[in-house]
Amino acid sequence: MDNYYQENEKRIMGEIKLAIPHYRRFVVEAYGILLADAIIAETLERFLAGLSQIPFIGGRDNRLTENLYLSSAMLAFYQALKTQGKTVVEAARIIYLGTAHMYSSLPFLIMLRLRGWRLFNYHSLANLQRDASKSQERKYAGDWVYNLVEGDAQRFIFGVNYTECGIQKYLAEQGASELTAHLCWLDYPMCAAMRVGLIRTQTLAQGGDYCNFRFCRWQDRPDLITEFMKV
């Protein structure tokens, strides 16, 4: 279904517009209201125009579809900033601050806490194993490819190794590979909101052979709380 994003345009745009205020506050803080309004307007325009360029990776049947179109929104924001002479570092800073603020606000915080609570149960892990196995088929060129890693009962409960990243592929196609590594950091405020410990030492975008996600319960690794706050 190559027109998945266009068919779901209203819902997707609703999600993006719900998130915009969390980012706008930092754009205003950095550049003032007038320039902020121009940047936000251009972001929405660019995102809407670029919906047809987002790779189809299974739509609702793929849990990572949302990651892909949200990354497209980040790209549109970065492109809007570039037209104003701003750098990828400036864009990444606002994206991080806005994302952290959004994840710590309602209703996002409740949804993420629920997701974190469910993460380690049998059904979630079974579904993740099923999806990981399907990813190995490489049905969609723009999709992620990954496998599960069994936990060691001490450092982490389970892990995921991503050997191909849909965001990395998409941003490369859009000529914005310089943004990819910055987006890797967004996993930390998300896991903090979920109250899930994330241990990761490498990502594909940062030069690693794969992205080595390792997940544990927040309360089991209090040392990670300090590390999360440093990011």
Side-chain angles (χ1 to χ4, degrees), residues 37-126:
D37 286 344
I39 290 170
I40 296 301
E42 184 176 345
T43 296
L44 292 172
E45 182 180 340
R46 284 180 174 274
F47 177 70
L48 186 58
L51 275 178
S52 61
Q53 298 176 39
I54 304 174
F56 178 70
I57 59 171
R60 289 186 180 274
D61 294 331
N62 190 330
R63 65 186 182 85
L64 293 169
T65 291
E66 182 182 39
N67 295 38
L68 204 50
Y69 67 70
L70 292 179
S71 296
S72 180
M74 305 299 182
L75 171 64
F77 176 67
Y78 170 47
Q79 291 171 330
L81 281 175
K82 280 184 71 175
T83 64
Q84 300 295 335
K86 310 305 178 185
T87 67
V88 66
V89 173
E90 291 177 276
R93 176 182 176 275
I94 294 173
I95 287 172
Y96 184 88
L97 291 172
T99 300
H101 185 271
M102 179 175 68
Y103 287 164
S104 63
S105 304
L106 298 177
F108 302 96
L109 183 60
I110 294 175
M111 293 187 293
L112 287 168
R113 288 288 169 84
L114 183 59
R115 187 184 301 179
W117 178 71
R118 291 174 172 170
L119 184 64
F120 301 108
N121 70 36
Y122 172 80
H123 294 292
S124 293
L125 290 174

Side-chain angles (χ1 to χ4, degrees), residues 19-30:
I20 282 291
H22 298 281
Y23 297 87
R24 183 182 180 278
R25 60 183 293 153
F26 297 105
V27 185
V28 171
E29 181 182 283

Side-chain angles (χ1 to χ4, degrees), residues 8 10 47 54 76 78 130 151 192 197-198 203 211 220:
N8 290 274
K10 184 176 180 180
F47 177 70
I54 304 174
Y78 170 47
R130 178 203 62 203
L198 169 62
T203 68
C211 307
D220 294 340

